[in-house]
Amino acid sequence: MKYLVKAKLKASLKNDLMREINADTLGSGSVAFGEYIKNMQQARVLEDGTLCWLEICFCSTPLAEELPYWQRYFEEITIENAHNPNNCQDYNGNAKRACFECSCTDQLEQTMLRWGEPFIA
């Protein structure tokens, strides 16, 4: 499934987060390692300072694997379906792990490019 994640960066940890991103170690130890940096490269900073990004997750509980990593750096984390789950080929069992090649959120991704500013310039 693809999820829209919104979260407030803990200001005191921004430098630590950037250090992990630059060292390519963000999410080290997670099965989703590599996706974390991709998420931050695509993240947008909204006017109120909230970051938002799209994230793929195959856990039965959304972001069960990723959430502990995000909670280190973020607070007020919200996770919403980025599209109708009934149309998700992974969710409905038609194609496992289909989200990596799926275009279901293309329109949302284009819209998000107009939201705020990139987190990583």
Side-chain angles (χ1 to χ4, degrees):
M1 287 283 298
K2 290 185 181 180
Y3 297 97
L4 176 63
V5 181
K6 294 181 181 177
K8 293 258 186 174
L9 179 61
K10 296 176 184 176
S12 64
L13 295 177
K14 181 177 182 179
N15 290 337
D16 292 346
L17 175 60
M18 295 308 295
R19 192 171 14 266
E20 281 209 54
I21 291 169
N22 292 328
D24 199 26
T25 58
L26 182 63
S28 181
S30 168
V31 297
F33 180 69
E35 289 297 307
Y36 295 83
I37 292 174
K38 178 182 170 188
N39 296 147
M40 292 296 95
Q41 289 170 333
Q42 295 174 344
R44 307 293 295 183
V45 182
L46 306 179
E47 284 185 29
D48 68 354
T50 300
L51 270 70
C52 63
W53 65 90
L54 290 177
E55 187 159 342
I56 295 171
C57 180
F58 299 107
C59 302
S60 57
T61 300
L63 276 60
E65 167 73 19
E66 298 85 351
L67 203 51
Y69 291 87
W70 292 135
Q71 288 171 326
R72 176 173 177 208
Y73 297 106
F74 296 98
E75 55 195 359
E76 299 178 36
I77 300 170
T78 62
I79 305 163
E80 303 173 25
N81 287 333
H83 59 88
N84 183 338
N86 295 324
N87 297 332
C88 177
Q89 291 195 28
D90 179 71
Y91 183 79
N92 65 27
N94 289 336
K96 287 294 179 193
R97 306 238 184 255
C99 296
F100 290 113
E101 303 297 325
C102 184
S103 61
C104 66
T105 57
D106 284 356
Q107 185 175 353
L108 175 58
E109 290 175 53
Q110 290 302 310
T111 300
M112 288 176 67
L113 291 174
R114 297 188 300 272
W115 294 358
E117 299 294 328
F119 176 57
I120 299 174

